[in-house]
Amino acid sequence: MDAHEPSADPRSTQTLIALALRDEADDEQAWEAIRVLQTRGTPEVLAEAERLVLASEPLARARGAAILGRLDVASEAAHEERVRLLLELARREQDTGVLEAVLLALSFFDEPRVALALLPLKSHPSDDVRLAVARALCTLARHGAPSAVDFEAFESAV
């Protein structure tokens, strides 16, 4: 196995979480740690991501959302838990940076309930959040998400 392959990474989940929480937005080591965690997709990683999205620090919530968005899990129960955690975070989050991360994470789930959950945010006071909503909905539409959402009506409302 290639030593640079995320699945071959020998670091512990706790070490990777600590790296993921580095404070620079464009820190390559932090994002590499997030990619490894996503690929690992173990129950331990899911539990750590849940802990992060419930944390008081915005950076932790944003990084937890990033992990959940692309976490490679096989079980339907774990998939449902990821969607539940992200939808709950989208409903309660006040920090615009975290909300943007949550919207990006949700764009990886091609489900009608995700698209419908994004619609209330189309009128958010932040331009960045409204743009993130539009991007997430466009991503869902491009990937053929089955949806009850009328994307043309949404587009004209934005």
Side-chain angles (χ1 to χ4, degrees), residues 7-129:
S7 61
D9 195 299
R11 294 175 287 184
S12 72
T13 297
Q14 290 305 316
T15 298
L16 292 167
I17 293 290
L19 283 171
L21 293 175
R22 291 171 58 134
D23 203 8
E24 298 87 38
D26 59 352
D27 185 316
E28 185 53 39
Q29 283 187 320
W31 290 104
E32 177 58 27
I34 290 168
R35 284 188 289 277
V36 171
L37 290 163
Q38 290 168 333
T39 301
R40 195 169 281 176
T42 63
E44 178 187 21
V45 172
L46 179 60
E48 285 299 314
E50 179 174 7
R51 183 183 63 78
L52 292 175
V53 299
L54 297 173
S56 60
E57 304 82 24
L59 177 66
R61 293 192 308 275
R63 298 294 166 86
I67 293 166
L68 288 172
R70 304 213 58 189
L71 188 62
D72 187 11
V73 294
S75 79
E76 183 63 28
H79 171 84
E80 286 300 316
E81 181 67 2
R82 291 168 54 216
V83 173
R84 183 190 67 76
L85 288 166
L86 288 167
L87 289 175
E88 284 179 8
L89 186 56
R91 279 190 286 276
R92 73 173 186 269
E93 188 56 54
Q94 299 298 312
D95 184 279
T96 58
V98 176
L99 203 44
E100 289 176 65
V102 172
L103 295 172
L104 174 62
L106 284 169
S107 73
F108 295 109
F109 296 91
D110 54 348
E111 301 181 23
R113 64 185 166 157
V114 169
L116 292 170
L118 299 179
L119 289 179
L121 295 170
K122 73 178 177 62
S123 302
H124 194 278
S126 166
D127 292 343
D128 293 334
V129 171

